[in-house]
Amino acid sequence: MTASEPVRSTVVVVTWRGREHVGACLDALAAQDRPHRTLVVDNASDDGTAEVLAAHPSRPEVLRLPRNLGYAGGVAAALPRVRTPLVAWLNDDAAPDPGWLSALEAALDADGVAAASAALRAPDGRLQSLGVRLTPDGHGADTTASEAFGFCGGAALLRLADLRAIGGVPAAFFCYYEDTDTSWRLRLADRRVVQVPEAGARHLHGASANPGSRLFHRWNERNRLLMLLRCAPAAVAVREIARFAAITAALPFRRRVPAANFRVGLRLRVLAEIALRLPSTLNERRAIGRRSTVSRAQVWQDWAG
């Protein structure tokens, strides 16, 4: 890295109570072989995270929010402060390899590429994710395939102009599915999303969240349905909401409920939130449709196999 190299990327790190791991993330960013700007969004942490950020030798810029807006809200809050053509999304529990950013920037130099997804690996070296696939029932799931529907928001680089052109980040999602929703809107705009295996990052999966918790399942179930209402063919969105409601109605008659996301109270809460947000979500759907150059049906046919 030389002082004459232009700064093309802003790396946005969203943290909440990340005292135990955000320092390692910043250490890894300081070791990158490509110049960049680091912007940390602190979601009103109360565990000493602010002191870790203030003491770090890299002296990152910090945007401290008055309340926790989640990962999606944190990225959305950071975007008005981004002045570079590229913006990275990075989990605070991820530590990218020194060549991570340079590999992602090189991938975005290809024609039509709007987003590049890194290789997230567990501390033992096991590959966790190269991106997100779209399942036949509209779930977003991590994939290790070399071609994927979307990027994983844990460590990815996007072209800022394309992100703004499709309407930015769905801040109201709070957490989960913001990357799959954004990838879908990029596909609708006929923009490419690529996987970059050489852009590695060590990821402490779950360190900044609580997978399996009631909130985890609530956000996942709610945001999947909101994403379908926003982006999917109408028949798919209606089918999946109806299926979700039918399963919920049948649960009291089952002898055994196998998983937390099948608890009746949680699912009724999700349906209530979907109903309350329906008018605004349909407005968002119409806006997405006006910006699209590829049909929803075509994207679904191409990627939901």
Side-chain angles (χ1 to χ4, degrees):
M1 181 175 68
T2 66
S4 61
E5 287 186 87
V7 175
R8 301 176 61 196
S9 301
T10 298
V11 181
V12 175
V13 179
V14 179
T15 188
W16 178 69
R17 297 180 179 174
R19 180 187 62 185
E20 300 300 327
H21 47 263
V22 71
C25 175
L26 295 177
D27 290 343
L29 286 176
Q32 293 297 299
D33 61 11
R34 187 63 58 90
H36 62 279
R37 178 182 170 215
T38 299
L39 173 57
V40 181
V41 181
D42 182 1
N43 264 320
S45 299
D46 54 6
D47 66 337
T49 295
E51 288 75 16
V52 173
L53 299 176
H56 198 272
S58 67
R59 301 181 66 184
E61 180 181 351
V62 177
L63 171 60
R64 182 169 172 83
L65 301 179
R67 60 187 178 91
N68 185 3
L69 299 182
Y71 191 73
V75 174
L79 289 185
R81 296 184 174 224
V82 176
R83 300 289 182 265
T84 54
L86 308 178
V87 58
W89 301 11
L90 185 65
N91 280 4
D92 65 347
D93 57 1
D97 298 339
W100 168 78
L101 185 57
S102 59
L104 292 177
E105 287 186 352
L108 260 65
D109 288 335
D111 187 45
V113 175
S117 193
L120 287 173
R121 299 185 181 276
D124 62 4
R126 176 179 51 86
L127 183 61
Q128 293 177 341
S129 176
L130 268 176
V132 173
R133 64 186 176 92
L134 191 62
T135 70
D137 57 359
H139 282 88
D142 285 323
T143 181
T144 57
S146 59
E147 186 176 17
F149 169 73
F151 65 90
C152 174
L157 186 67
L158 290 82
R159 194 172 299 280
L160 183 62
D162 287 322
L163 181 57
R164 286 177 171 158
I166 62 168
V169 183
F173 278 26
F174 191 83
C175 196
Y176 306 118
Y177 274 91
E178 62 278 337
D179 50 3
T180 312
D181 180 280
T182 300
S183 298
W184 203 320
R185 288 178 288 123
L186 287 172
R187 294 289 185 187
L188 288 170
D190 200 22
R191 306 301 290 168
R192 293 171 59 202
V193 180
V194 298
Q195 283 57 55
V196 188
E198 57 271 30
R202 179 177 59 86
H203 185 219
L204 302 175
H205 184 66
S208 57
N210 187 13
S213 69
R214 184 178 180 87
L215 278 175
F216 170 87
H217 287 299
R218 172 189 153 203
W219 291 329
N220 263 289
E221 298 290 358
R222 180 197 68 187
N223 292 348
R224 176 179 74 95
L225 297 178
L226 288 174
M227 177 190 70
L228 294 175
L229 280 169
R230 283 161 52 90
C231 302
V236 172
V238 171
R239 181 194 72 197
E240 290 306 316
I241 292 174
R243 178 186 295 177
F244 187 90
I247 292 173
T248 303
L251 283 173
F253 304 100
R254 293 188 179 183
R255 291 184 176 180
R256 182 172 177 270
V257 178
N261 60 319
F262 284 91
R263 293 172 182 163
V264 174
L266 181 147
R267 295 172 71 89
L268 289 175
R269 173 74 179 270
V270 167
L271 288 170
E273 290 189 62
I274 295 296
L276 285 172
R277 297 185 185 206
L278 187 59
S280 61
T281 303
L282 292 179
N283 285 336
E284 293 163 2
R285 177 183 178 86
R286 286 188 283 270
I288 291 168
R290 288 193 294 269
R291 291 190 293 262
S292 299
T293 58
V294 180
S295 72
R296 290 180 164 93
Q298 186 64 56
V299 174
W300 180 259
Q301 180 180 333
D302 289 345
W303 294 102

